[in-house]
Amino acid sequence: MSNLVNVPKNGSLANTNSNANFPTLSNWFDDLFNRDLPSVFTSNFNTGMTLPKVNIKETADAFMVEMAVPGLKKSDFHIDLDNQVLSIFTETKAENEDKNANYTRREFGYSSFKRTFNLPESVNDEKINAKYTDGILSLLLPKKEEAKQKPPRTIKIS
């Protein structure tokens, strides 16, 4: 996170009530996952693939994780759970060889990523479900019964 402040040309620092210098939750998560990583680790120069962004939504019954990863097949993904750590990993290799009378051209590419998430204790890890449709990997992480939010109720006074 940067500590730089914009200084006007007159050199004075105006006191404003703007929240522009405060990080948003989204920026905080991006900084947390990408901090101090050289760009060679966060993007692949052969394919332009970057570390995919993730949407996480919590409802009363579950957490929903969506990851935009177009151009892959369902079989390209490996999803593992080990000690409440969910890992999503993919690795793709592509080779293209073109032979003509006077030349041979061969191109190859490689891309991969791995995202890991520490799951809260409230997740029922026996019922995690994943699907890949139209370039979106979706995971449903249902909560344990005791962790689900119960609707408000009125308690009568006796």
Side-chain angles (χ1 to χ4, degrees), residues 1-154:
M1 195 177 307
S2 175
N3 291 331
L4 298 178
V5 176
N6 290 333
V7 178
K9 288 185 178 181
N10 64 9
S12 68
L13 292 176
N15 185 9
T16 65
N17 291 330
S18 170
N19 289 332
N21 292 329
F22 291 98
T24 64
L25 186 59
S26 175
N27 290 343
W28 184 80
F29 276 115
D30 287 343
D31 286 348
L32 181 66
F33 286 111
N34 296 322
R35 182 177 297 141
D36 298 326
L37 292 178
S39 63
V40 72
F41 291 123
T42 57
S43 69
N44 183 302
F45 59 87
N46 288 333
T47 64
M49 183 178 211
T50 59
L51 193 61
K53 300 287 184 177
V54 175
N55 293 332
I56 301 174
K57 179 180 177 183
E58 181 178 9
T59 66
D61 298 331
F63 294 94
M64 291 174 274
V65 178
E66 293 178 323
M67 182 181 294
V69 280
L72 299 176
K73 299 180 299 244
K74 183 169 63 171
S75 60
D76 291 334
F77 293 97
H78 304 283
I79 303 172
D80 298 317
L81 181 65
D82 185 22
N83 291 327
Q84 293 300 106
V85 176
L86 179 74
S87 299
I88 303 170
F89 172 75
T90 186
E91 176 179 61
T92 58
K93 298 175 187 175
E95 291 190 26
N96 182 14
E97 188 170 347
D98 184 11
K99 291 185 179 184
N100 277 339
N102 296 328
Y103 70 94
T104 299
R105 176 179 60 120
R106 185 174 188 178
E107 296 179 7
F108 59 93
Y110 172 86
S111 65
S112 69
F113 72 84
K114 182 176 185 178
R115 295 286 310 253
T116 60
F117 304 92
N118 291 320
L119 299 183
E121 292 290 327
S122 60
V123 170
N124 183 347
D125 59 5
E126 298 294 322
K127 295 187 177 181
I128 294 175
N129 185 8
K131 68 179 180 175
Y132 182 65
T133 308
D134 297 329
I136 304 291
L137 178 65
S138 302
L139 288 99
L140 180 66
L141 309 167
K143 293 181 180 178
K144 296 175 183 173
E145 273 309 310
E146 61 270 13
K148 291 182 182 179
Q149 286 182 341
K150 296 183 179 37
R153 64 184 181 105
T154 301

